[in-house]
């Protein structure tokens, strides 16, 4: 197919000036204050993992820390415009909760604005297996070519966080942890211990059906344990409405994962072939890889394989 490479070439040829206050495209995204100086930028709600993800930012006396860069340079600029509506502080850091395109394809906007990038060093995701250029071309079909104008990859961290790190900046304490590879190998959570606010990335999604295709369901449960241990006052899921209280969303996610594990374990132990094991689930939606049906179906495949490996003794270590 020739089209994708043409699109990529087109993207690379478009020169984009560094984003300053008035060169930013699009209207500012709406902002929700979670605590003094701590903001969520809520994305779409009611669509599970689809649509614009949630992002956030923390204003300190020594600059702004942005959490996630959204799905395109256009969305990144809209996010930066929202930040500029609150503060003129320089953008010090961009922390990426993981390496799925919808969370970091706007990262170049923040790097051009002066941010250093903090992220997990493992940038691999299944979607990226088609190669970086093909992924960009594919993604342009999702968000639109115009939204991708000026795109460059900017998710390789200046400061990698493989296990945990604490950022002390301008009077704030920001704890960045890798909760295990639950949703993806490069998951990070951002925790504000003073304000008790947690940015959970895609470990949590509004409908409780976290995708584990790029991760591991057992590690996701470990991540949920960590979240419960923190006892956050406010949690910002990767996608969808912020829950009124964190605990029920964590519990709902745990119930979904443990039920799926039990179902697939029973199927494996009874010798039920994979296709029959989740034959009751609706098929995945072909053009919507993270719709609810697609997540449930694709997770079932992943968890069946996990249980099969465990049953055959191919895995010796639980996370
Ligand atoms: Zn994700």
């Amino acid at each position: 197919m020739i089209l994708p490479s043409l699109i990529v070439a087109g993207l690379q040829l478009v020169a984009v000036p560094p984003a300053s206050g008035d060169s930013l495209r699009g209207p500012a995204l709406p902002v929700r204050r979670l605590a003094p100086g701590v903001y969520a930028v809520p994305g779409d709600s009611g669509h599970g993992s689809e649509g614009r993800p949630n992002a956030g930012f923390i204003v300190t006396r020594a600059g702004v820390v942005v959490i996630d860069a959204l799905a395109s340079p256009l969305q990144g600029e809209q996010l930066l415009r929202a930040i500029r509506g609150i503060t003129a502080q320089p953008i010090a850091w961009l922390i990426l909760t993981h390496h799925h395109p919808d969370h970091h394809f706007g990262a170049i906007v923040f790097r051009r604005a002066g941010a250093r990038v903090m992220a997990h060093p493992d940038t691999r995701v299944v979607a990226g297996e088609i190669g970086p250029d093909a992924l960009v071309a594919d993604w342009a079909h999702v968000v639109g070519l115009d939204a991708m104008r000026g795109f460059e990859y900017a998710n390789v961290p200046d400061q990698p966080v493989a296990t945990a790190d604490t950022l002390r900046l301008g009077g704030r304490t920001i704890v960045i942890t890798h909760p295990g590879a639950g949703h993806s190998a490069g998951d990070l959570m951002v925790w504000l211990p003073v304000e008790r606010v947690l940015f959970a990335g895609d470990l949590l999604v509004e409908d409780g059906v976290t995708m584990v295709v790029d991760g591991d369901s057992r590690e996701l449960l470990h991540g949920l344990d960590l979240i419960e241990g923190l006892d956050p006052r406010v949690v910002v899921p990767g996608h969808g409405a912020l829950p009124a209280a964190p605990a029920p969303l964590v519990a709902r996610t745990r119930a979904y994962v443990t039920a799926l594990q039990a179902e697939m374990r029973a199927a494996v132990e009874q010798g039920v072939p994979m296709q029959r094991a989740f034959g009751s689930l609706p098929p995945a939606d072909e053009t919507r890889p993270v719709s609810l049906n697609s997540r449930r179906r694709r997770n079932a495949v992943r968890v069946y394989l996990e249980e099969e490996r465990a049953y055959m003794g191919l895995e010796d270590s639980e996370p």
Side-chain angles (χ1 to χ4, degrees):
M1 204 166 132
I2 293 167
L3 189 61
S5 58
L6 285 175
I7 290 173
V8 171
L11 287 171
Q12 289 169 340
L13 284 171
V14 177
V16 171
S20 67
D22 23 32
S23 70
L24 299 172
R25 295 176 291 165
L29 297 174
V31 163
R32 177 165 154 192
R33 185 176 172 276
L34 305 176
V38 181
Y39 299 87
V41 181
D44 295 318
S45 62
H47 301 284
S49 296
E50 295 182 299
R52 195 180 77 235
N54 296 322
F57 60 98
I58 302 151
V59 181
T60 86
R61 294 192 302 270
V64 181
V65 178
V66 182
I67 299 152
D68 276 352
L70 302 180
S72 65
L74 175 60
Q75 287 187 10
E77 288 179 39
Q78 290 180 273
L79 172 57
L80 182 52
R81 192 188 281 278
I83 296 167
R84 286 290 165 251
I86 301 285
T87 179
Q89 284 280 355
I91 309 297
W93 288 97
L94 169 65
I95 305 174
L96 298 174
T97 63
H98 62 298
H99 296 283
H100 282 148
D102 53 339
H103 295 259
H104 79 78
F105 267 20
I108 188 64
V109 171
F110 298 94
R111 206 189 275 285
R112 288 187 182 125
R116 283 181 289 167
V117 174
M118 194 181 285
H120 194 282
D122 194 338
T123 61
R124 292 169 301 169
V125 292
V126 167
E129 286 174 356
I130 56 176
D133 289 352
L135 178 57
V136 171
D138 258 18
W139 197 251
H141 289 290
V142 177
V143 294
L145 191 53
D146 189 53
M148 289 294 284
R149 198 148 46 89
F151 175 83
E152 284 176 38
Y153 277 93
N155 62 316
V156 174
D158 301 297
Q159 184 159 330
V161 179
T163 52
D165 204 348
T166 300
L167 185 58
R168 294 182 209 282
L169 188 74
R172 298 269 185 187
T173 300
I174 302 166
V175 180
I176 302 101
T177 56
H178 173 56
H183 172 69
S184 75
D187 287 345
L188 293 179
M189 298 194 301
V190 179
W191 168 237
L192 302 175
V194 175
E195 297 83 1
R196 308 198 68 75
V197 173
L198 179 72
F199 292 87
D202 279 4
L203 262 69
L204 295 176
V205 177
E206 63 178 347
D207 59 17
V209 182
T210 298
M211 181 87 104
V212 294
V213 172
D214 263 329
D216 182 290
S217 71
R218 294 153 302 177
E219 299 213 21
L220 178 62
L221 291 179
H222 173 66
L224 298 179
D225 289 343
L226 289 179
I227 294 174
E228 277 177 342
L230 294 172
D231 189 22
R233 181 180 63 81
V234 177
V235 81
V236 181
H239 289 263
L242 276 61
L249 179 58
V250 175
R252 188 178 176 189
T253 309
R254 182 189 300 283
Y256 162 68
V257 173
T258 52
L260 181 59
Q261 287 176 333
E263 204 181 327
M264 292 302 121
R265 188 176 309 133
V268 167
E269 286 172 2
Q270 291 157 22
V272 177
M274 189 198 281
Q275 287 305 327
R276 280 230 316 279
F278 43 80
S280 62
L281 289 176
D285 298 310
E286 203 152 320
T287 58
R288 296 169 58 198
V290 298
S291 70
L292 180 60
N293 284 347
S294 294
R295 277 178 284 142
R296 294 183 70 202
R297 189 85 179 194
R298 295 174 70 195
N299 280 346
V301 174
R302 166 75 208 192
V303 172
Y304 184 97
L305 293 171
E306 288 173 9
E307 294 298 339
E308 192 175 51
R309 285 182 64 81
Y311 182 69
M312 293 166 73
L314 292 171
E315 281 176 344
D316 46 16
S317 60
E318 286 284 313

